Amino acid sequence: MASVSDFLSLELPREVVAGWQSAVDVMTELMGAPVGLLTRMHDKELEVLVSSRTGDNPFKAGDRRTLLGSGLFCEEVVRTRGVLNVEDGRTHIRWREASSVKDGWLAHLGAPLLLPGGHVFGTLSVKHRMPHRFTRLHESLLFRIRDLVETQLALLFMHRDLKERTRLLAAYRDELKQLRDVFPICPMCKKIRNDAEYWDLVEDYFVTHAMGEFGHGLCPECAEHHWGETLLEPEPVPLPRGLGPAGTVKA
């Protein structure tokens, strides 16, 4: 199955990112903000995946910031996995000395982007250099864009997972085909002829063809022939109380 770490490093389809770009541009314009961002996680870093095409936006796609202990608004969004609405960071003790405020970003509205299973993919946010009140309508717009992005992320994740499952099924099918083939076995020494026309021991052949390893044991006939002993029949394993023959429950 596809792992979350593999998915986070996956190169996303251009048409999907282009759609996100248009959505972020519209969101940023309707909120009257100078900056709109869509980011994604890379280990302990946050990468700008989409940056609004606005004149006063210093961020560009590909920019990265260390997230842990950064004091950024986005760090709080990722940590809490909740919406963060800050009208003026200078008026909050929590944000007064934070990196975002020191960098000149006083107002922020952001939400996390989640993958199936609740793993954080990144963030969606808008920023202001001046104090700015984000309304319920602004939050509703942010949620609509977030839902759109998360739906597409879920589809991409499931598609990648399906490809991995298909690959595994193909490998299993190949192994089954090998098992179903008629093996050329020498009737005298019981060796098997391999693809290179050499004769291998049965154990060597199956190990070479990635079919596992063999354990060893003597059948009763061989034990009596070679050792002059008769193997004892294995003792029956007692059933748990309440179970009858063939695993049925006694009344």
Side-chain angles (χ1 to χ4, degrees):
M1 296 177 60
S3 68
V4 175
S5 58
D6 289 341
F7 185 82
L8 289 176
S9 61
L10 178 69
E11 184 175 353
L12 298 168
R14 291 183 179 180
E15 59 272 19
V16 172
V17 178
W20 294 349
Q21 179 71 67
S22 298
V24 169
D25 288 341
V26 171
M27 176 186 69
T28 306
E29 182 178 356
L30 291 177
M31 292 190 189
V35 171
L37 299 175
L38 192 158
T39 68
R40 72 170 173 181
M41 298 288 297
H42 270 296
D43 295 326
K44 297 179 180 179
E45 293 183 323
L46 202 63
E47 176 195 11
V48 176
L49 191 60
V50 170
S51 182
S52 61
R53 292 173 288 198
T54 44
D56 193 27
N57 187 353
F59 300 94
K60 61 181 184 297
D63 288 348
R64 292 195 184 193
R65 288 285 299 271
T66 300
L67 196 61
L68 187 62
S70 64
L72 299 174
F73 289 134
C74 286
E75 180 188 4
E76 182 72 4
V77 171
V78 171
R79 186 184 67 81
T80 62
R81 301 188 181 189
V83 177
L84 179 64
N85 189 334
V86 179
E87 182 175 344
D88 185 352
R90 297 172 303 180
T91 64
H92 293 263
I93 297 177
R94 169 70 176 82
W95 300 112
R96 193 172 296 162
E97 300 297 325
S99 298
S100 291
V101 174
K102 289 182 177 180
D103 291 342
W105 302 107
L106 303 184
H108 176 96
L109 176 63
L113 298 171
L114 304 179
L115 292 172
H119 298 281
V120 177
F121 173 83
T123 64
L124 179 67
S125 64
V126 290
K127 302 177 186 295
H128 263 287
R129 290 192 179 278
M130 301 296 293
H132 185 83
R133 181 175 177 271
F134 294 105
T135 66
R136 290 182 178 272
L137 184 61
H138 292 151
E139 289 187 353
S140 178
L141 177 59
L142 182 79
F143 297 157
R144 293 293 297 272
I145 304 298
R146 177 203 61 187
D147 292 345
L148 170 67
V149 173
E150 287 186 344
T151 299
Q152 292 179 317
L153 285 172
L155 291 173
L156 289 171
F157 188 84
M158 287 188 289
H159 176 67
R160 182 175 173 83
D161 189 54
L162 180 60
K163 287 177 63 178
E164 177 65 14
R165 289 175 181 267
T166 302
R167 185 190 68 80
L168 291 175
L169 286 174
Y172 294 151
R173 188 168 57 248
D174 290 342
E175 289 185 5
L176 287 174
K177 182 178 181 301
Q178 287 180 323
L179 289 173
R180 288 170 180 167
D181 285 342
V182 177
F183 299 114
I185 301 177
C186 174
M188 301 299 294
C189 65
K190 308 304 182 184
K191 290 182 179 179
I192 299 179
R193 189 178 67 234
N194 61 28
D195 299 333
E197 299 298 324
Y198 289 104
W199 292 88
D200 292 333
L201 295 173
V202 174
E203 295 93 332
D204 295 339
Y205 181 89
F206 281 95
V207 170
T208 302
H209 287 71
M211 296 182 185
E213 297 181 355
F214 280 83
H216 294 277
L218 284 176
C219 67
E221 289 81 5
C222 288
E224 186 172 2
H225 176 74
H226 290 283
W227 300 96
E229 296 179 359
T230 301
L231 294 180
L232 297 177
E233 292 293 333
E235 295 183 1
V237 178
L239 293 173
R241 296 187 61 185
L243 290 181
T248 58
V249 178
K250 291 183 178 179

